[in-house]
């Protein structure tokens, strides 16, 4: 794994701020009647306005046969991650929408995601969103030098399962920095405290709980190599921050300020 210097971590935080501002803008404009392609356009404009390149546009991950063609992954309801924006996907009141993107400023990347409501959503969906976000916070609090990755993973898992929701097991967080997915760091959303790789200053990675309201089994849609959906059709939520391990504790790099 590539450990980052304090200067490199500062550079990633510049990208992280651009990414966070872009998600905030998308969250502000989202409304019934918009298409997910409208949101993709907002993502492109706002990243550019903040001096960032959309790192997912043209990105070719190992797990895919083809490169990704958009700036953002926009995942609606039972799509949990990697939904492709579409001009025919119209949002409706009550939908929950995952927004995930990676900003690149001068070769330094930051990856962040939120899940947002379209208008009013039901109480269970509200709980799913707030528990997933809280699970991310719990995981981040364990991202400290001297600890182990399992401390992060188990903190995420405990909060989610204590609240009766499901953790998708097949998908994890990852190292990030000069590439979207860097080798050597895997951040599962389940695990045991005291297990896993030791956490050291200079490590930078994404923590990204992917949580389902129902059963956590996943599936793919015929003809769509990207979207990951729940098998039972229940809704999913995804929140993600890029975090650095520093001598002074966890530093979230994808903040608005
Ligand atoms: N941002 C995603 C993540 O959190 C990566 C998307 S890869 C893509 O890992 F190719 F699907 F865009
Ligand atoms: Co992401
Ligand atoms: Co990620």
């Amino acid at each position: 794994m590539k450990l980052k210097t304090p200067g490199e971590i500062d550079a990633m935080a510049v990208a992280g701020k651009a990414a966070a501002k872009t998600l905030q803008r998308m969250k502000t404009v989202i409304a019934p009647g918009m298409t997910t392609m409208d949101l993709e356009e907002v993502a492109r404009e706002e990243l550019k306005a903040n001096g960032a390149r959309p790192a997912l546009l043209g990105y070719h991950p190992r797990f895919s046969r083809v490169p990704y063609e958009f700036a953002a992954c926009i995942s609606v309801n039972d799509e949990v991650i990697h939904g492709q924006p579409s001009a025919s996907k119209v949002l409706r009141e009550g939908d929950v929408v995952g927004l995930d993107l990676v900003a690149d400023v001068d070769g330094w990347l930051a990856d962040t995601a939120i899940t947002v409501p379209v208008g009013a959503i039901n109480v269970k969906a509200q709980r799913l969103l707030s528990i997933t976000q809280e699970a991310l916070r719990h995981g981040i609090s364990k991202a400290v030098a001297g600890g182990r990755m399992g401390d992060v993973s188990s903190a995420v898992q405990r909060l989610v399962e204590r609240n009766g929701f499901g953790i998708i097991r097949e998908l994890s967080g990852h190292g990030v920095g000069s590439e979207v997915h860097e080798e050597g760091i895997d951040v599962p959303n389940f695990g045991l405290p005291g297990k896993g790789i030791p956490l050291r200053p200079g490590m930078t990675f994404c923590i990204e709980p992917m949580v389902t309201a129902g059963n956590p089994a996943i599936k793919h849609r015929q003809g769509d190599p990207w979207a990951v959906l729940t098998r039972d059709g229940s809704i999913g939520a995804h929140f993600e921050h890029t975090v650095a391990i520093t001598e002074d504790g966890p530093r979230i790099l994808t903040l608005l300020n």
Side-chain angles (χ1 to χ4, degrees), residues 21-35:
K21 286 174 79 172
T22 302
L23 290 185
Q24 188 58 43
R25 173 104 193 109
M26 294 165 82
K27 179 180 182 171
T28 303
V29 302
I30 201 168
M34 280 182 95
T35 70

Side-chain angles (χ1 to χ4, degrees), residues 7-57:
E8 290 169 343
I9 290 171
D10 287 342
M12 287 177 65
V14 174
K17 184 173 180 177
K21 286 174 79 172
T22 302
L23 290 185
Q24 188 58 43
R25 173 104 193 109
M26 294 165 82
K27 179 180 182 171
T28 303
V29 302
I30 201 168
M34 280 182 95
T35 70
T36 57
M37 192 60 81
D38 295 333
L39 285 171
E40 163 74 10
E41 281 164 21
V42 172
R44 291 191 193 203
E45 279 169 21
E46 195 66 22
L47 284 169
K48 191 170 182 185
N50 284 282
R53 184 187 72 83
L56 296 183
L57 185 60

Side-chain angles (χ1 to χ4, degrees), residues 34 46 53 82 97 109 159-160 173 203 218 235 244 250:
M34 280 182 95
E46 195 66 22
R53 184 187 72 83
H82 298 172
V97 184
L109 277 52
L159 197 279
V160 170
M203 288 171 67
I218 55 172
I235 62 170

Side-chain angles (χ1 to χ4, degrees), residues 100 111 174 181 206 208 240:
D100 184 6
D111 183 2
H174 50 91
H181 295 114
C206 300
E208 47 180 316
E240 175 176 29

Side-chain angles (χ1 to χ4, degrees), residues 11 63 68 71 83 97 119 123 129 131 138 143 165 179 187 209 212 221 234:
F63 59 78
Y68 193 69
V97 184
V123 171
L129 267 49
I131 293 299
H138 279 227
F165 293 127
E179 290 169 80
V187 189
T212 61
R221 191 190 281 129
S234 66

